[in-house]
Amino acid sequence: MDRFIIHGGRPLKGEIVIGGAKNAGLKLMVAGLLTSERLILSNIPRIADMATMRDLLCQHGIAIEDVTEDGSTCSIGGEITSTEAPYEIVSKMRASILVLGPLLARCGVARVSLPGGCAIGTRPVDLHLKGLETLGAKIHLENGYINASAPQGLHGDKIILPFASVGATENLLMAATLAKGRTSIINAAREPEIADLAECLTRMGAKISGIGSSTLVIDGVEALHGAEHRIMPDRIECGTYACAAGITGGDLLLKGGRADDLGAVVRTLEETGVEVFQEPDGLRVRRTGALRGVDIMTEPYPGFPTDMQAQFMAMLAVAEGASMITETIFENRFMHVPELNRMGARINVHGSSAIIRGVHALSGAPVMATDLRASFSLIIAGLAAHGETILSRVYHLDRGYEAVERKLSACGAMIERVRD
Ligand code: UD1
């Protein structure tokens, strides 16, 4: 297992190119299941989760070919030869559940392993299943698998989501593109990655209105066709490097970053004392004054994203005054707290809230990554800490961040990967 060794205390200065969005790219690859023609995706991030999705699609029979040598553009297409998503892959990556709706819509049958819990919570998939049942699917759970069938095809209907789940919205949106008649998804999640998916589906011939809103209306079509689509920039990667610039008192141009996708994050950065400017080729972030404590509550988009919570916590650990972070999306997403406290932070968790009392400085320590975003919060802390931080279990980070050490080193950080 690889480790990172970080020597903190150097302000980050320079440019970082923001890659394609993980949370859009994974679903856009799945959209390839909805047509026998070729879907060409560009701006593909080179991260482990995309490779896992590639493995999953390949075992469904789909051929994936690199169009460019660097693998940043690929073509997806072919006939589906297996409608089963096995436990070995689904347990590795929860987003695998997204193949359920498309397989069902295209083939009338699907068998997908139940994802089970994960480090940040129990994460049930009941909303995905109830929504598909509303569209006419018969579902039964057996031996840890979801067995779904719709021999006559899916039919459009009105689905009201009790919670604006990102994954359920995407699964149902993709299934509805090939259902007979009209589907409305009420209280749909509004994350920009869903709009990116909907735009790609539209290019493939889907009829979708209300893109970007909480009501999606889909008129099913007989078949979708091939298309080309560029994956949107990763707003969470962008926000993450913004926190790294903030904590180190740096000045970074995050190339490709878009303030429009990051409303609540930009506002919160500004409240903490980090300046943010949209420039023609990206987002500039810098801090010259003091960092100030703020209160944050995670919410579905356009609220503050749960995927940015850990990174802000690291930054607030050295801010003036106290901050409070309340996590409303996942029940167990404070696993970075004991690790940050080992680096000298003063953070107490009370139920779903964490109180962060700013300290003057953090000190380097051996720490352990527990999930994707928590891992980066420890890097952010390490970049500002006195002395050496050794972060183990870096594989969590490799799932969703591309070339972390290269991007940070190019901006002056002292960070090195040690391979075991
Ligand atoms: C997606 C993102 C993840 C992000 C999350 C919230 C991907 C690959 N992952 O995850 O990075 O943190 O959105 O922005 O895009 N829930 C249910 N029943 C369901 C579905 C969800 O109870 O059927 C609950 C979950 O347990 C969780 C909450 O709803 O507590 C949010 O989940 P959801 O919005 O579905 O997140 P994901 O799509 O899993």
Side-chain angles (χ1 to χ4, degrees), residues 146-191:
I146 303 160
N147 298 285
S149 66
Q152 312 307 322
L154 297 171
H155 57 74
D157 209 326
K158 181 171 168 181
I159 301 169
I160 304 174
L161 290 176
F163 176 82
S165 153
V166 172
T169 302
E170 292 163 335
N171 225 336
L172 299 169
L173 167 65
M174 287 193 276
T177 60
L178 295 178
K180 289 187 197 84
R182 173 169 287 194
T183 300
S184 346
I185 308 177
I186 318 289
N187 195 29
R190 287 182 281 165
E191 270 67 4

Side-chain angles (χ1 to χ4, degrees), residues 350-364:
H350 302 274
S352 59
S353 294
I355 312 281
I356 303 120
R357 295 183 176 86
V359 296
H360 184 62
L362 297 173
S363 59

Side-chain angles (χ1 to χ4, degrees), residues 22-23 26-27 94-95 122-128 163-168 170 191 306-307 329-331 333 373:
K22 170 180 92 74
N23 287 355
L26 291 172
K27 306 13 164 353
R94 291 184 50 85
T122 51
R123 298 180 83 172
V125 291
D126 54 320
L127 304 178
H128 301 235
F163 176 82
S165 153
V166 172
E170 292 163 335
E191 270 67 4
T306 173
D307 284 353
I329 308 292
F330 293 110
E331 71 267 30
R333 214 173 186 181
R373 309 301 171 187

Side-chain angles (χ1 to χ4, degrees), residues 48-71:
D49 272 8
M50 291 296 277
T52 305
M53 184 56 84
R54 219 175 153 119
D55 291 345
L56 179 61
L57 293 184
C58 287
Q59 70 81 46
H60 287 308
I62 300 296
I64 303 178
E65 286 155 21
D66 287 332
V67 175
T68 52
E69 239 170 57
D70 63 358

Side-chain angles (χ1 to χ4, degrees), residues 7-202:
H7 289 269
R10 297 158 69 104
L12 293 181
K13 296 218 161 120
E15 295 183 356
I16 291 179
V17 176
I18 300 303
K22 170 180 92 74
N23 287 355
L26 291 172
K27 306 13 164 353
L28 287 160
M29 283 187 80
V30 172
L33 287 170
L34 290 165
T35 174
S36 57
E37 295 183 18
R38 299 248 134 211
L39 173 63
I40 297 178
L41 295 178
S42 57
N43 203 25
I44 292 182
R46 274 146 293 178
I47 53 175
D49 272 8
M50 291 296 277
T52 305
M53 184 56 84
R54 219 175 153 119
D55 291 345
L56 179 61
L57 293 184
C58 287
Q59 70 81 46
H60 287 308
I62 300 296
I64 303 178
E65 286 155 21
D66 287 332
V67 175
T68 52
E69 239 170 57
D70 63 358
S72 66
T73 300
C74 78
S75 128
I76 303 166
E79 289 309 319
I80 297 169
T81 54
S82 158
T83 52
E84 177 164 327
Y87 175 72
E88 292 68 36
I89 300 186
V90 180
S91 58
K92 225 163 122 185
M93 187 181 67
R94 291 184 50 85
S96 310
I97 185 74
L98 269 302
V99 300
L100 181 62
L103 286 174
L104 201 52
R106 183 95 190 284
C107 309
V109 61
R111 183 173 145 83
V112 176
S113 170
L114 275 163
C118 73
I120 60 175
T122 51
R123 298 180 83 172
V125 291
D126 54 320
L127 304 178
H128 301 235
L129 304 188
K130 279 193 195 121
L132 290 171
E133 281 175 336
T134 305
L135 300 183
K138 297 270 171 287
I139 293 182
H140 80 275
L141 307 181
E142 201 175 41
N143 306 123
Y145 274 77
I146 303 160
N147 298 285
S149 66
Q152 312 307 322
L154 297 171
H155 57 74
D157 209 326
K158 181 171 168 181
I159 301 169
I160 304 174
L161 290 176
F163 176 82
S165 153
V166 172
T169 302
E170 292 163 335
N171 225 336
L172 299 169
L173 167 65
M174 287 193 276
T177 60
L178 295 178
K180 289 187 197 84
R182 173 169 287 194
T183 300
S184 346
I185 308 177
I186 318 289
N187 195 29
R190 287 182 281 165
E191 270 67 4
E193 293 77 13
I194 301 174
D196 204 35
L197 172 64
E199 273 153 26
C200 176
L201 293 169
T202 304

